[in-house]
Amino acid sequence: MAIKMRVLYDSKKKGMGQFAKVIADKYGLPVNATSSKFPPEYPCDKERIVILGLSAKGEISDEVRRFCAELSKIRAYNVALLIDGDQATADKVAEIIKNAGTNLVGVKVISFGGFLMFGGALTDELRGELVQWVEDMVAGCV
């Protein structure tokens, strides 16, 4: 199934990059549909869904906050938010996304463990859980 989709993440943890690659491979996304830079090299434009993965506890970077505040329906019809951190941060980012005017289809809070680039890798169990979560988010958008 072809769907206009982006996977964007802001994390130095190995697991978040692995997650983005798994989703990009599963959906056959082109190289420019996956990015760890904010703002991304290619702006979102009428994406059916943006999967946004962030490693954050408490505060998010100003670049990410500004990007989320600009996620209108013109940029992305739907956004699914994956937070490697805490629920309070997830709630804060979710509120920014909702105020931008797009449809927040799901929020998932996880923990890759570790510290920064030494953060845990994506385990098989977590990979399966996250792939199923993304499948559910995508199914709700088509």
Coordinates of all heavy atoms in Angstrom, one line a residue, residues 82-142:
L82 N 5.7 9.5 18.9 CA 6.4 8.5 19.7 C 7.4 9.3 20.6 O 8.3 9.9 20.0 CB 7.1 7.5 18.8 CG 8.0 6.5 19.5 CD1 7.1 5.5 20.3 CD2 8.8 5.7 18.5
I83 N 7.2 9.2 21.9 CA 8.1 9.9 22.8 C 8.9 8.9 23.6 O 8.4 8.0 24.3 CB 7.3 10.8 23.8 CG1 6.6 11.9 23.1 CG2 8.2 11.3 24.9 CD1 7.5 13.0 22.6
D84 N 10.2 9.0 23.5 CA 11.1 8.2 24.4 C 11.4 9.2 25.5 O 12.3 10.1 25.4 CB 12.4 7.9 23.6 CG 13.5 7.3 24.5 OD1 13.2 6.6 25.5 OD2 14.7 7.6 24.2
G85 N 10.6 9.1 26.6 CA 10.7 10.0 27.7 C 9.6 9.8 28.6 O 9.3 8.7 29.0
D86 N 8.9 10.9 29.0 CA 7.9 10.9 30.0 C 6.6 11.4 29.5 O 6.5 12.0 28.4 CB 8.3 11.6 31.3 CG 8.7 13.1 31.0 OD1 8.0 13.7 30.1 OD2 9.6 13.6 31.7
Q87 N 5.5 11.1 30.2 CA 4.1 11.4 29.8 C 3.9 12.9 29.7 O 3.3 13.5 28.8 CB 3.1 10.8 30.7 CG 1.7 11.0 30.2 CD 1.4 10.3 28.9 OE1 1.7 9.1 28.7 NE2 0.8 11.0 27.9
A88 N 4.6 13.7 30.7 CA 4.4 15.1 30.7 C 4.9 15.8 29.4 O 4.3 16.7 28.9 CB 5.1 15.7 31.9
T89 N 6.1 15.3 29.0 CA 6.7 15.8 27.7 C 5.8 15.4 26.5 O 5.5 16.3 25.7 CB 8.1 15.2 27.5 OG1 8.9 15.6 28.6 CG2 8.7 15.8 26.3
A90 N 5.3 14.2 26.5 CA 4.4 13.8 25.5 C 3.1 14.7 25.4 O 2.7 15.1 24.3 CB 4.0 12.3 25.7
D91 N 2.6 15.0 26.6 CA 1.4 15.8 26.6 C 1.7 17.2 26.1 O 0.9 17.8 25.4 CB 0.9 15.9 28.1 CG 0.3 14.6 28.6 OD1 0.0 13.7 27.8 OD2 0.2 14.5 29.8
K92 N 2.9 17.8 26.5 CA 3.3 19.1 26.0 C 3.4 19.2 24.5 O 2.9 20.1 23.8 CB 4.6 19.5 26.7 CG 5.0 20.9 26.5 CD 6.4 21.2 27.1 CE 6.5 20.7 28.5 NZ 7.8 21.0 29.1
V93 N 4.1 18.2 23.9 CA 4.3 18.1 22.5 C 2.9 17.9 21.8 O 2.6 18.5 20.7 CB 5.3 17.1 22.1 CG1 5.4 17.0 20.5 CG2 6.6 17.4 22.7
A94 N 2.1 17.0 22.3 CA 0.8 16.8 21.7 C -0.1 18.0 21.7 O -0.7 18.3 20.7 CB 0.1 15.7 22.5
E95 N 0.0 18.8 22.7 CA -0.8 20.1 22.8 C -0.3 21.0 21.7 O -1.1 21.7 21.0 CB -0.6 20.7 24.1 CG -1.6 21.9 24.3 CD -3.0 21.5 24.3 OE1 -3.4 20.4 24.7 OE2 -3.8 22.4 23.9
I96 N 1.0 21.1 21.5 CA 1.6 22.0 20.4 C 1.1 21.5 19.0 O 0.7 22.3 18.2 CB 3.1 22.0 20.4 CG1 3.6 22.6 21.7 CG2 3.7 22.7 19.2 CD1 5.1 22.4 22.0
I97 N 1.1 20.2 18.8 CA 0.7 19.7 17.5 C -0.8 19.9 17.3 O -1.2 20.3 16.2 CB 1.0 18.2 17.4 CG1 2.5 18.0 17.4 CG2 0.3 17.5 16.3 CD1 3.0 16.6 17.5
K98 N -1.6 19.7 18.3 CA -3.1 19.9 18.2 C -3.4 21.4 17.9 O -4.2 21.7 17.1 CB -3.8 19.5 19.5 CG -3.9 18.0 19.7 CD -4.6 17.8 21.0 CE -4.5 16.3 21.4 NZ -5.0 16.1 22.7
N99 N -2.7 22.3 18.6 CA -2.9 23.7 18.4 C -2.4 24.2 17.0 O -2.9 25.2 16.5 CB -2.1 24.6 19.4 CG -2.7 24.5 20.8 OD1 -3.9 24.2 20.9 ND2 -2.0 24.8 21.8
A100 N -1.6 23.4 16.3 CA -1.1 23.7 15.0 C -2.2 23.5 14.0 O -2.2 24.0 12.8 CB 0.1 23.0 14.6
G101 N -3.2 22.6 14.3 CA -4.3 22.4 13.5 C -4.4 21.0 12.8 O -5.3 20.8 12.0
T102 N -3.4 20.2 13.0 CA -3.5 18.9 12.3 C -4.1 17.9 13.2 O -4.5 18.2 14.4 CB -2.0 18.4 11.9 OG1 -2.1 17.3 11.1 CG2 -1.2 18.1 13.1
N103 N -4.3 16.7 12.8 CA -5.0 15.6 13.5 C -4.0 14.7 14.2 O -3.2 14.1 13.5 CB -5.9 14.8 12.5 CG -6.7 13.8 13.2 OD1 -7.1 13.9 14.4 ND2 -7.0 12.7 12.5
L104 N -3.9 14.8 15.5 CA -3.0 13.9 16.3 C -3.7 12.5 16.4 O -4.7 12.4 17.1 CB -2.7 14.5 17.6 CG -1.7 13.8 18.5 CD1 -0.3 13.7 17.8 CD2 -1.6 14.4 19.8
V105 N -3.2 11.5 15.7 CA -3.9 10.2 15.7 C -3.4 9.3 16.7 O -4.1 8.3 17.0 CB -3.8 9.5 14.3 CG1 -4.5 10.3 13.2 CG2 -2.3 9.4 13.9
G106 N -2.3 9.6 17.4 CA -1.8 8.7 18.4 C -0.6 9.2 19.1 O 0.2 9.9 18.5
V107 N -0.5 8.8 20.4 CA 0.7 9.2 21.2 C 1.2 7.9 21.9 O 0.3 7.3 22.5 CB 0.4 10.3 22.2 CG1 1.7 10.6 23.0 CG2 -0.1 11.6 21.5
K108 N 2.4 7.6 21.8 CA 3.0 6.4 22.5 C 4.2 6.9 23.2 O 5.1 7.5 22.7 CB 3.3 5.3 21.5 CG 3.8 4.0 22.2 CD 3.6 2.9 21.2 CE 3.9 1.6 21.9 NZ 2.8 1.1 22.8
V109 N 4.3 6.5 24.5 CA 5.5 6.9 25.4 C 6.2 5.5 25.6 O 5.6 4.6 26.1 CB 5.0 7.5 26.7 CG1 6.2 7.8 27.6 CG2 4.2 8.8 26.4
I110 N 7.5 5.6 25.3 CA 8.3 4.4 25.5 C 9.6 4.8 26.2 O 9.9 6.0 26.5 CB 8.7 3.7 24.2 CG1 9.5 4.7 23.3 CG2 7.4 3.2 23.5 CD1 10.2 4.0 22.2
S111 N 10.5 3.8 26.4 CA 11.8 4.1 26.9 C 12.8 3.2 26.3 O 12.7 1.9 26.4 CB 11.9 3.9 28.5 OG 13.3 4.1 28.9
F112 N 13.8 3.7 25.5 CA 14.9 3.0 24.9 C 15.9 2.7 26.0 O 16.8 1.9 25.8 CB 15.5 3.7 23.7 CG 14.7 3.6 22.5 CD1 14.1 4.8 22.0 CD2 14.5 2.4 21.9 CE1 13.3 4.7 20.8 CE2 13.7 2.3 20.7 CZ 13.1 3.5 20.2
G113 N 15.9 3.4 27.1 CA 16.9 3.2 28.1 C 18.2 3.8 27.7 O 18.4 4.4 26.6
G114 N 19.2 3.7 28.6 CA 20.5 4.2 28.2 C 20.6 5.8 28.3 O 19.7 6.4 28.8
F115 N 21.7 6.3 27.8 CA 22.0 7.7 27.8 C 22.5 8.2 26.5 O 23.5 7.7 26.0 CB 23.0 8.0 28.9 CG 23.3 9.4 29.1 CD1 22.4 10.3 29.7 CD2 24.6 9.9 28.7 CE1 22.7 11.6 29.8 CE2 24.9 11.3 28.8 CZ 24.0 12.1 29.4
L116 N 21.8 9.2 25.9 CA 22.2 9.8 24.6 C 22.6 8.7 23.6 O 21.8 7.8 23.3 CB 23.3 10.8 24.8 CG 22.9 12.0 25.6 CD1 24.1 12.9 25.8 CD2 21.8 12.8 25.0
M117 N 23.7 8.8 23.0 CA 24.1 7.9 21.9 C 24.4 6.5 22.4 O 24.5 5.6 21.6 CB 25.3 8.4 21.1 CG 26.6 8.4 21.9 SD 27.8 9.6 21.5 CE 27.1 11.1 22.0
F118 N 24.5 6.4 23.7 CA 24.7 5.0 24.3 C 23.3 4.4 24.6 O 23.3 3.3 25.3 CB 25.5 5.1 25.6 CG 26.9 5.8 25.3 CD1 27.1 7.0 25.8 CD2 27.8 5.2 24.5 CE1 28.3 7.7 25.6 CE2 29.0 5.8 24.2 CZ 29.3 7.1 24.8
G119 N 22.3 5.0 24.2 CA 20.9 4.5 24.5 C 20.7 3.2 23.8 O 21.4 2.8 22.9
G120 N 19.8 2.4 24.4 CA 19.5 1.1 24.0 C 19.1 0.9 22.6 O 18.5 1.8 22.0
A121 N 19.4 -0.2 22.1 CA 19.0 -0.6 20.7 C 17.6 -1.0 20.7 O 17.0 -1.2 21.8 CB 19.9 -1.7 20.1
L122 N 17.0 -1.1 19.6 CA 15.6 -1.5 19.4 C 15.5 -3.1 19.6 O 16.1 -3.8 18.8 CB 15.1 -1.1 18.0 CG 13.7 -1.3 17.7 CD1 12.8 -0.5 18.6 CD2 13.4 -0.9 16.2
T123 N 14.9 -3.5 20.6 CA 14.8 -5.0 20.9 C 13.7 -5.5 19.9 O 12.9 -4.8 19.4 CB 14.3 -5.2 22.3 OG1 13.0 -4.7 22.5 CG2 15.3 -4.7 23.3
D124 N 13.7 -6.8 19.7 CA 12.7 -7.5 18.9 C 11.3 -7.3 19.4 O 10.4 -7.0 18.6 CB 13.0 -9.0 18.7 CG 14.3 -9.2 17.9 OD1 14.7 -8.4 17.1 OD2 14.8 -10.4 18.0
E125 N 11.2 -7.3 20.7 CA 9.9 -7.2 21.3 C 9.4 -5.7 21.1 O 8.2 -5.5 20.7 CB 10.0 -7.4 22.8 CG 8.6 -7.3 23.5 CD 8.7 -7.5 25.0 OE1 9.7 -8.3 25.5 OE2 7.9 -7.0 25.8
L126 N 10.2 -4.7 21.3 CA 9.8 -3.4 21.1 C 9.6 -3.1 19.7 O 8.6 -2.4 19.3 CB 10.8 -2.4 21.7 CG 10.5 -0.9 21.7 CD1 9.1 -0.7 22.4 CD2 11.6 -0.1 22.4
R127 N 10.4 -3.7 18.8 CA 10.2 -3.5 17.3 C 8.8 -3.9 16.9 O 8.1 -3.2 16.2 CB 11.3 -4.3 16.6 CG 11.1 -4.2 15.1 CD 12.1 -5.1 14.3 NE 13.3 -5.3 15.1 CZ 14.5 -4.8 14.6 NH1 14.6 -4.2 13.5 NH2 15.6 -5.0 15.4
G128 N 8.4 -5.1 17.4 CA 7.1 -5.7 17.0 C 6.0 -4.8 17.5 O 5.0 -4.5 16.8
E129 N 6.1 -4.3 18.8 CA 5.1 -3.4 19.4 C 5.0 -2.1 18.6 O 3.9 -1.6 18.3 CB 5.5 -3.1 20.8 CG 4.6 -2.3 21.6 CD 5.1 -1.9 23.0 OE1 5.8 -2.8 23.6 OE2 4.8 -0.9 23.5
L130 N 6.2 -1.5 18.2 CA 6.1 -0.2 17.5 C 5.6 -0.4 16.1 O 4.9 0.5 15.6 CB 7.5 0.4 17.5 CG 8.0 0.9 18.9 CD1 9.4 1.4 18.9 CD2 7.0 1.9 19.5
V131 N 6.0 -1.5 15.4 CA 5.5 -1.7 14.0 C 4.0 -1.8 14.1 O 3.3 -1.3 13.2 CB 6.2 -2.9 13.4 CG1 5.5 -3.3 12.1 CG2 7.7 -2.6 13.1
Q132 N 3.5 -2.6 15.0 CA 2.0 -2.7 15.1 C 1.4 -1.4 15.4 O 0.3 -1.1 14.8 CB 1.7 -3.8 16.2 CG 0.2 -4.0 16.4 CD -0.4 -4.6 15.1 OE1 0.1 -5.6 14.6 NE2 -1.4 -4.0 14.6
W133 N 2.0 -0.6 16.3 CA 1.4 0.7 16.6 C 1.4 1.6 15.3 O 0.3 2.2 15.0 CB 2.3 1.4 17.7 CG 1.9 2.8 18.0 CD1 0.7 3.1 18.7 CD2 2.5 4.0 17.7 NE1 0.7 4.5 18.8 CE2 1.8 5.1 18.2 CE3 3.7 4.3 17.0 CZ2 2.2 6.4 18.1 CZ3 4.1 5.6 16.8 CH2 3.3 6.6 17.4
V134 N 2.4 1.6 14.5 CA 2.5 2.4 13.3 C 1.4 1.8 12.3 O 0.7 2.6 11.7 CB 3.9 2.4 12.7 CG1 3.8 3.0 11.3 CG2 4.8 3.2 13.6
E135 N 1.3 0.5 12.2 CA 0.3 -0.1 11.3 C -1.1 0.4 11.7 O -1.9 0.7 10.8 CB 0.4 -1.6 11.3 CG 1.6 -2.2 10.6 CD 1.7 -3.7 10.8 OE1 1.0 -4.3 11.6 OE2 2.6 -4.2 10.1
D136 N -1.4 0.4 13.0 CA -2.7 0.9 13.5 C -2.9 2.4 13.1 O -4.0 2.8 12.7 CB -2.8 0.7 15.0 CG -2.8 -0.8 15.4 OD1 -3.0 -1.7 14.5 OD2 -2.6 -1.1 16.6
M137 N -1.8 3.2 13.3 CA -1.9 4.6 13.0 C -2.2 4.8 11.5 O -3.0 5.6 11.1 CB -0.7 5.4 13.4 CG -0.4 5.4 14.9 SD -1.6 6.1 16.0 CE -2.4 4.6 16.6
V138 N -1.4 4.1 10.7 CA -1.6 4.2 9.2 C -3.0 3.8 8.7 O -3.6 4.4 7.9 CB -0.4 3.5 8.5 CG1 -0.7 3.4 7.0 CG2 0.9 4.2 8.7
A139 N -3.4 2.6 9.3 CA -4.7 2.1 8.9 C -5.8 3.1 9.2 O -6.8 3.2 8.5 CB -5.0 0.8 9.7
G140 N -5.7 3.9 10.3 CA -6.7 4.8 10.6 C -6.7 6.1 9.7 O -7.6 6.9 9.8
C141 N -5.6 6.2 8.9 CA -5.5 7.4 8.1 C -5.8 7.2 6.6 O -5.9 8.1 5.8 CB -4.0 7.9 8.1 SG -3.5 8.4 9.8
V142 N -6.0 6.0 6.2 CA -6.3 5.7 4.8 C -7.8 5.6 4.5 O -8.6 5.5 5.4 CB -5.6 4.5 4.2 CG1 -4.1 4.8 4.0 CG2 -5.8 3.3 5.1

